[in-house]
Amino acid sequence: MDNSVPIGIKLLGPVNGVLFINLVPITAFAIGLAQGRAFGDVELAGASLTIGALIVNNLNSRGLFRFRRTERAVGGGGVLTAVAVGAGTR
């Protein structure tokens, strides 16, 4: 058995392992809530941003978003736009 890779990463996979590590501050936040700690607006905003980023990153890593290039009317080039899987195309 290769001991250079932690067993948690072997079980979760590298992408989910990184996402799991980011749950540590969220767990501390949840414990604080359970203990009755009052959080300020900035702490609530930070927790919300972290949770939102974890959700979007997890969905993206599972391929639930795909990107397509939309052409600009003038000047050529294009812009990458996130499109939910199963969304209709134009």
Side-chain angles (χ1 to χ4, degrees), residues 13-23 48-67 82:
V15 173
N16 285 329
V18 170
L19 294 175
F20 185 77
I21 289 170
N22 288 309
L23 285 177
S48 298
L49 282 172
T50 302
I51 292 169
L54 286 170
I55 291 170
V56 169
N57 193 0
N58 196 311
L59 293 175
N60 186 51
S61 70
R62 296 175 190 281
L64 296 179
F65 296 106
R66 62 180 157 200
F67 292 90

Side-chain angles (χ1 to χ4, degrees), residues 5-84:
V5 179
I7 193 166
I9 298 298
K10 288 180 183 178
L11 293 173
L12 293 175
V15 173
N16 285 329
V18 170
L19 294 175
F20 185 77
I21 289 170
N22 288 309
L23 285 177
V24 172
I26 300 303
T27 304
F29 185 82
I31 290 170
L33 281 176
Q35 293 176 340
R37 184 178 188 283
F39 291 99
D41 292 340
V42 173
E43 292 169 312
L44 293 172
S48 298
L49 282 172
T50 302
I51 292 169
L54 286 170
I55 291 170
V56 169
N57 193 0
N58 196 311
L59 293 175
N60 186 51
S61 70
R62 296 175 190 281
L64 296 179
F65 296 106
R66 62 180 157 200
F67 292 90
R68 71 171 175 222
R69 184 169 298 280
T70 56
E71 296 300 323
R72 294 183 187 172
V74 178
V79 178
L80 290 178
T81 307
V83 179

